[in-house]
Tab-separated table of all heavy atoms in Angstrom:
chain	number	residue	atom	x	y	z
A	25	GLY	N	-22.582	110.942	98.489
A	25	GLY	CA	-21.227	110.431	98.693
A	25	GLY	C	-20.759	110.626	100.117
A	25	GLY	O	-20.130	109.743	100.722
A	26	LEU	N	-21.071	111.822	100.670
A	26	LEU	CA	-20.684	112.102	102.057
A	26	LEU	C	-21.410	111.161	103.025
A	26	LEU	O	-20.832	110.652	103.987
A	26	LEU	CB	-20.993	113.558	102.391
A	26	LEU	CG	-20.645	114.024	103.813
A	26	LEU	CD1	-19.150	113.851	104.069
A	26	LEU	CD2	-21.056	115.483	104.014
A	27	GLY	N	-22.691	110.920	102.754
A	27	GLY	CA	-23.470	110.030	103.621
A	27	GLY	C	-22.924	108.616	103.613
A	27	GLY	O	-22.807	107.975	104.662
A	28	VAL	N	-22.588	108.147	102.398
A	28	VAL	CA	-22.025	106.804	102.298
A	28	VAL	C	-20.699	106.731	103.064
A	28	VAL	O	-20.403	105.765	103.773
A	28	VAL	CB	-21.821	106.409	100.821
A	28	VAL	CG1	-21.028	105.109	100.712
A	28	VAL	CG2	-23.166	106.264	100.118
A	29	GLY	N	-19.891	107.775	102.928
A	29	GLY	CA	-18.607	107.801	103.639
A	29	GLY	C	-18.788	107.754	105.141
A	29	GLY	O	-18.053	107.048	105.849
A	30	LEU	N	-19.777	108.509	105.645
A	30	LEU	CA	-20.049	108.506	107.089
A	30	LEU	C	-20.516	107.136	107.560
A	30	LEU	O	-20.128	106.670	108.629
A	30	LEU	CB	-21.095	109.575	107.420
A	30	LEU	CG	-20.613	111.031	107.353
A	30	LEU	CD1	-21.783	111.983	107.555
A	30	LEU	CD2	-19.538	111.283	108.396
A	31	LEU	N	-21.359	106.485	106.745
A	31	LEU	CA	-21.845	105.157	107.117
A	31	LEU	C	-20.695	104.153	107.198
A	31	LEU	O	-20.629	103.317	108.101
A	31	LEU	CB	-22.896	104.678	106.111
A	31	LEU	CG	-24.257	105.376	106.175
A	31	LEU	CD1	-25.159	104.902	105.027
A	31	LEU	CD2	-24.938	105.092	107.515
A	32	VAL	N	-19.778	104.251	106.220
A	32	VAL	CA	-18.624	103.359	106.230
A	32	VAL	C	-17.769	103.605	107.464
A	32	VAL	O	-17.305	102.667	108.137
A	32	VAL	CB	-17.780	103.545	104.945
A	32	VAL	CG1	-16.458	102.778	105.062
A	32	VAL	CG2	-18.558	103.089	103.718
A	33	LEU	N	-17.564	104.877	107.797
A	33	LEU	CA	-16.762	105.223	108.972
A	33	LEU	C	-17.416	104.702	110.245
A	33	LEU	O	-16.747	104.141	111.124
A	33	LEU	CB	-16.590	106.747	109.041
A	33	LEU	CG	-15.789	107.269	110.252
A	33	LEU	CD1	-14.372	106.696	110.216
A	33	LEU	CD2	-15.753	108.801	110.232
A	34	ILE	N	-18.737	104.884	110.370
A	34	ILE	CA	-19.460	104.389	111.550
A	34	ILE	C	-19.347	102.879	111.655
A	34	ILE	O	-19.126	102.317	112.726
A	34	ILE	CB	-20.941	104.823	111.479
A	34	ILE	CG1	-21.046	106.346	111.638
A	34	ILE	CG2	-21.758	104.106	112.561
A	34	ILE	CD1	-22.439	106.889	111.413
A	35	ALA	N	-19.483	102.207	110.493
A	35	ALA	CA	-19.378	100.748	110.485
A	35	ALA	C	-17.996	100.292	110.954
A	35	ALA	O	-17.860	99.320	111.707
A	35	ALA	CB	-19.672	100.203	109.088
A	36	LEU	N	-16.955	101.000	110.493
A	36	LEU	CA	-15.597	100.653	110.922
A	36	LEU	C	-15.415	100.846	112.420
A	36	LEU	O	-14.824	100.001	113.101
A	36	LEU	CB	-14.582	101.518	110.159
A	36	LEU	CG	-14.356	101.173	108.682
A	36	LEU	CD1	-13.471	102.224	108.024
A	36	LEU	CD2	-13.719	99.790	108.559
A	37	VAL	N	-15.922	101.965	112.953
A	37	VAL	CA	-15.799	102.242	114.389
A	37	VAL	C	-16.540	101.181	115.201
A	37	VAL	O	-16.014	100.653	116.190
A	37	VAL	CB	-16.339	103.649	114.718
A	37	VAL	CG1	-16.403	103.845	116.244
A	37	VAL	CG2	-15.464	104.713	114.083
A	38	VAL	N	-17.768	100.861	114.772
A	38	VAL	CA	-18.548	99.846	115.471
A	38	VAL	C	-17.821	98.496	115.431
A	38	VAL	O	-17.769	97.777	116.430
A	38	VAL	CB	-19.959	99.713	114.856
A	38	VAL	CG1	-20.690	98.500	115.436
A	38	VAL	CG2	-20.756	100.979	115.118
A	39	GLY	N	-17.251	98.155	114.270
A	39	GLY	CA	-16.530	96.893	114.144
A	39	GLY	C	-15.346	96.816	115.084
A	39	GLY	O	-15.103	95.787	115.723
A	40	ILE	N	-14.605	97.927	115.177
A	40	ILE	CA	-13.448	97.951	116.079
A	40	ILE	C	-13.894	97.799	117.532
A	40	ILE	O	-13.285	97.057	118.313
A	40	ILE	CB	-12.652	99.259	115.888
A	40	ILE	CG1	-12.000	99.274	114.511
A	40	ILE	CG2	-11.601	99.416	116.987
A	40	ILE	CD1	-11.350	100.601	114.151
A	41	VAL	N	-14.967	98.509	117.906
A	41	VAL	CA	-15.482	98.421	119.276
A	41	VAL	C	-15.918	96.995	119.603
A	41	VAL	O	-15.632	96.468	120.685
A	41	VAL	CB	-16.655	99.403	119.486
A	41	VAL	CG1	-17.330	99.146	120.832
A	41	VAL	CG2	-16.170	100.842	119.404
A	42	VAL	N	-16.610	96.355	118.653
A	42	VAL	CA	-17.066	94.977	118.866
A	42	VAL	C	-15.890	94.045	119.070
A	42	VAL	O	-15.894	93.181	119.959
A	42	VAL	CB	-17.930	94.498	117.674
A	42	VAL	CG1	-18.181	92.992	117.758
A	42	VAL	CG2	-19.252	95.257	117.647
A	43	ILE	N	-14.839	94.233	118.250
A	43	ILE	CA	-13.650	93.381	118.376
A	43	ILE	C	-12.981	93.582	119.725
A	43	ILE	O	-12.560	92.627	120.386
A	43	ILE	CB	-12.659	93.684	117.229
A	43	ILE	CG1	-13.238	93.217	115.893
A	43	ILE	CG2	-11.310	93.002	117.496
A	43	ILE	CD1	-12.396	93.603	114.698
Side-chain angles (χ1 to χ4, degrees):
L26 180 60
V28 171
L30 287 174
L31 288 174
V32 171
L33 179 61
I34 292 173
L36 287 173
V37 171
V38 171
I40 292 172
V41 171
V42 169
I43 291 174

